[in-house]
């Protein structure tokens, strides 16, 4: 990219040039999804997991007005620890860039920038979706509309249980976003391995997913593909349900709306579960990053 405000790290630029497998990683998880100091540890570990499986990590963020595809360790530290990091969805990117500010990118914004850079595999924790009560608030994550327009495969642990899962699955269908379950047809609910909703298609290996990606490209149905990868060990269900209830009530009481809802509820979970949800959240991100790396590697072997 020649624009002054778009910077690709040397590692990612080299990988793009020589056709190596690359995995995009979002930064909102680091700045707004995980508490300090584990956010920085996880951001570093996730990059190492991707490298250890033969792919190149590209963590994406905007720092001081510059879009970065791939961060240095100092920049990871900034994203994890600076207090002036906003949460940017796709619509915010140009505004943040023009004003010289800094922001972590959500799934929607990260996916947009990844595709712009030429990266088509992405790992996150949980996808945004339709919030409970959306029939009145209209609160539906821009993650969904972004994925309906972008050629990207995203590995996630389903959608957060804080959302309306049934409505989210309906919207995924309407928006023609593909959904496959990794070794399951039970749609995962982020902290829980099974949200209670069944999906139609199961895949059992990274090679299976690479084959689906190749067909999507051939058939020109290659907008977003969601790979739903359940966490190995879920949260205690009774505890999960109780914390979810108190979190939703707390958000209502505190008048939390819009983009602040997700960070508020995640923080509530981590505090109220005394770290249990944090541990599960970290497991989710690590396992999704490993699978995304395997998909990126397998995809290179399958003609696109
Ligand atoms: N998954 C996580 N932690 C997070 C998020 C997802 O494990 O913090 C973030 C992602 O960046 C996602 C965003 O895009 O939450 C959704 O926010 P909203 O509901 O405001 O669209
Ligand atoms: Mn929202």
């Amino acid at each position: 990219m020649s624009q002054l405000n778009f910077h690709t790290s040397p590692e990612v630029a080299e990988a793009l040039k020589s056709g190596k497998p690359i995995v995009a990683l979002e930064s909102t998880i680091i700045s707004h999804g995980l508490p300090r100091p584990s956010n920085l540890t996880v951001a570093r570990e996730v990059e190492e997991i991707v490298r250890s499986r033969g792919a190149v990590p590209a963590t994406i963020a905007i720092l001081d007005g510059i879009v970065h595809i791939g961060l240095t360790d100092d920049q990871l530290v900034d994203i994890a620890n600076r207090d002036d990091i906003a949460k940017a969805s796709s619509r915010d990117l140009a505004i943040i860039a023009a004003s010289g500010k800094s922001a972590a990118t959500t799934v929607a914004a990260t996916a947009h920038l990844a595709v712009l850079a030429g990266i088509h595999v992405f790992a996150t924790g949980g996808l945004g979706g339709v919030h409970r009560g959306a029939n009145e608030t209209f609160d539906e994550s821009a993650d969904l509309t972004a994925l309906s327009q972008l050629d990207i495969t995203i590995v996630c642990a389903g959608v957060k249980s804080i959302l309306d899962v049934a409505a989210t699955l309906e919207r995924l269908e309407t928006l023609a976003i593909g959904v496959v379950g990794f070794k399951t047809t039970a749609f995962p609910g982020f902290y829980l391995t099974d949200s209670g909703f069944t999906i139609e298609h199961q895949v059992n290996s990274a090679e299976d997913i690479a084959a689906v990606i190749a067909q999507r490209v051939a058939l020109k149905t290659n907008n977003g593909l969601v790979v739903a990868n359940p966490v190995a060990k879920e949260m205690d269900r009774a505890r999960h349900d109780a914390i979810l209830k108190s979190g939703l009530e707390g958000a209502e009481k505190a008048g939390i709306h819009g983009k602040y809802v997700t960070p508020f509820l995640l923080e509530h979970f981590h505090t109220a579960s005394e770290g249990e949800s944090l541990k599960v959240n970290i497991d989710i991100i690590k396992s999704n990053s490993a699978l995304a790396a395997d998909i990126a590697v397998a995809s290179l072997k399958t003609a696109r």
Side-chain angles (χ1 to χ4, degrees):
M1 287 280 157
S2 57
Q3 290 95 319
L4 275 176
N5 60 353
F6 197 100
H7 183 261
T8 307
S9 73
E11 185 188 14
V12 175
E14 197 279 318
L16 282 166
K17 213 171 131 207
S18 58
K20 288 200 186 116
I22 309 175
V23 174
L25 299 164
E26 62 145 313
S27 43
T28 294
I29 292 182
I30 308 171
S31 302
H32 304 285
L34 298 170
R36 296 173 192 163
S38 55
N39 59 347
L40 178 58
T41 318
V42 173
R44 286 174 171 152
E45 283 176 353
V46 160
E47 292 208 345
E48 276 318 305
I49 288 170
V50 171
R51 286 193 189 96
S52 74
R53 301 177 92 99
V56 170
T59 305
I60 293 178
I62 304 189
L63 282 166
D64 305 309
I66 315 270
V67 169
H68 288 276
I69 310 292
L71 301 180
T72 63
D73 193 67
D74 284 349
Q75 290 167 337
L76 277 183
V77 173
D78 280 350
I79 284 293
N81 292 338
R82 265 167 59 170
D83 290 321
D84 64 337
I85 310 290
K87 172 181 164 185
S89 190
S90 322
R91 67 171 187 167
D92 307 309
L93 291 173
I95 303 167
I96 302 280
S99 61
K101 290 186 177 155
S102 303
T105 48
T106 64
V107 166
T110 306
H112 178 86
L113 293 173
V115 170
L116 191 60
I119 303 168
H120 299 274
V121 181
F122 177 9
T124 184
L127 192 62
V130 181
H131 283 260
R132 294 163 188 241
N135 55 341
E136 280 183 15
T137 62
F138 280 70
D139 190 352
E140 174 182 340
S141 178
D143 290 357
L144 299 187
T145 38
L147 290 179
S148 74
Q149 296 160 359
L150 295 166
D151 174 8
I152 198 152
T153 296
I154 178 163
V155 183
C156 62
V159 296
K160 277 157 279 201
S161 41
I162 58 177
L163 300 170
D164 183 336
V165 180
T168 303
L169 286 170
E170 290 296 341
R171 290 293 289 152
L172 287 168
E173 181 185 354
T174 304
L175 294 165
I177 298 166
V179 181
V180 292
F182 189 66
K183 298 184 176 166
T184 184
T185 53
F187 191 61
F190 197 64
Y191 296 130
L192 304 176
T193 52
D194 181 354
S195 66
F197 295 89
T198 303
I199 48 177
E200 201 178 342
H201 306 293
Q202 174 172 336
V203 285
N204 295 315
S205 66
E207 289 71 26
D208 280 359
I209 300 165
V212 173
I213 293 171
Q215 289 300 326
R216 287 167 61 85
V217 172
L219 297 171
K220 296 197 174 12
T221 56
N222 50 323
N223 55 339
L225 174 67
V226 171
V227 177
N229 182 30
V231 70
K233 192 177 175 306
E234 68 177 9
M235 245 186 107
D236 179 87
R237 281 204 175 230
R239 193 180 202 188
H240 169 275
D241 293 351
I243 294 175
L244 177 58
K245 188 165 176 286
S246 60
L248 292 169
E249 285 164 6
E252 172 84 34
K253 227 182 183 164
I256 309 284
H257 293 294
K259 68 196 270 190
Y260 304 104
V261 172
T262 300
F264 176 89
L265 289 173
L266 289 173
E267 161 65 28
H268 174 77
F269 257 94
H270 298 331
T271 311
S273 73
E274 297 159 311
E276 189 192 349
S277 68
L278 177 60
K279 197 188 161 302
V280 178
N281 202 338
I282 292 171
D283 287 350
I284 285 172
I285 301 167
K286 288 185 180 172
S287 122
N288 291 349
S289 305
L291 179 55
D294 293 350
I295 295 169
V297 170
S299 255
L300 271 197
K301 297 180 190 146
T302 314
R304 274 191 64 113

